[in-house]
């Protein structure tokens, strides 16, 4: 298997959805829908859900999310699932996005990898390191 790194842009729309639980003692728990459109070597759309916790401390929060990406990766059709794990500690952020094992379908069966997200001048970019 060869490892490749591709980059491109994406747009994202988040919308609150009703959650099961509410935060207490200064914690704000949230649930959001995720809709993305990827362009570039990854030409796809995704839908998913995010759970978040905002603390009373400015810049400290955490979130987890799952999104299914459906479309074309360098000419190969299929889908895969990305799992997110993000934390912010007083503004210092850490974000892990991994392909869920065995989530690839059709021509993307066997896909593994991880994605990094960059936001520069208000534009969202992805850097996707993958093997297929």
């Amino acid at each position: 298997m060869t490892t490749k790194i591709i980059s491109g842009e994406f747009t994202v729309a988040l919308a609150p959805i009703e959650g099961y639980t509410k935060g207490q003692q200064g914690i704000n728990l949230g649930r959001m829908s995720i809709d993305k459109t990827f362009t570039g070597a990854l030409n796809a759309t995704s839908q998913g859900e995010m759970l978040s916790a905002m603390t009373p401390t400015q810049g400290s929060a955490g979130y987890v999310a799952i999104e299914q990406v459906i479309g074309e990766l360098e000419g190969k059709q299929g889908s895969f699932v990305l799992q997110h794990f993000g934390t912010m500690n007083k503004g210092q952020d850490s974000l892990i996005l991994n392909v869920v094992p065995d989530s690839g379908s059709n021509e993307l069966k066997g896909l593994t990898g991880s994605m990094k997200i960059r936001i520069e001048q208000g534009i969202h970019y992805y850097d996707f390191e993958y093997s297929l």
Side-chain angles (χ1 to χ4, degrees):
M1 270 200 278
T2 303
T3 299
K4 292 181 151 189
I5 300 174
I6 61 168
S7 297
E9 294 182 21
F10 70 94
T11 59
V12 61
L14 301 174
I17 51 180
E18 189 62 33
Y20 167 75
T21 187
K22 303 290 181 221
Q24 298 180 33
Q25 299 174 352
I27 301 297
N28 180 13
L29 299 178
R31 184 174 175 207
M32 307 281 271
S33 65
I34 304 169
D35 291 285
K36 289 183 183 171
T37 301
F38 296 88
T39 58
L42 176 60
N43 186 18
T45 59
S46 74
Q47 288 190 311
E49 289 192 25
M50 174 176 68
L51 299 175
S52 64
M54 305 283 287
T55 73
T57 302
Q58 179 73 24
S60 293
Y63 91 95
V64 294
I66 295 282
E67 65 179 303
Q68 185 175 29
V69 180
I70 301 171
E72 187 177 293
L73 174 61
E74 293 197 305
K76 292 182 172 31
Q77 296 285 330
S79 68
F80 59 93
V81 176
L82 285 172
Q83 179 176 333
H84 302 227
F85 178 83
T87 56
M88 284 184 63
N89 184 353
K90 297 176 185 72
Q92 297 292 346
D93 61 344
S94 168
L95 178 58
I96 299 168
L97 274 86
N98 287 325
V99 174
V100 172
D102 300 312
S103 66
S105 72
N106 300 329
E107 294 178 297
L108 300 180
K109 196 174 228 68
L111 179 73
T112 61
S114 62
M115 186 177 283
K116 291 185 166 81
I117 292 175
R118 297 178 283 121
I119 303 172
E120 298 172 1
Q121 298 175 347
I123 299 172
H124 289 75
Y125 296 92
Y126 65 85
D127 299 308
F128 189 29
E129 182 174 343
Y130 76 92
S131 297
L132 184 59

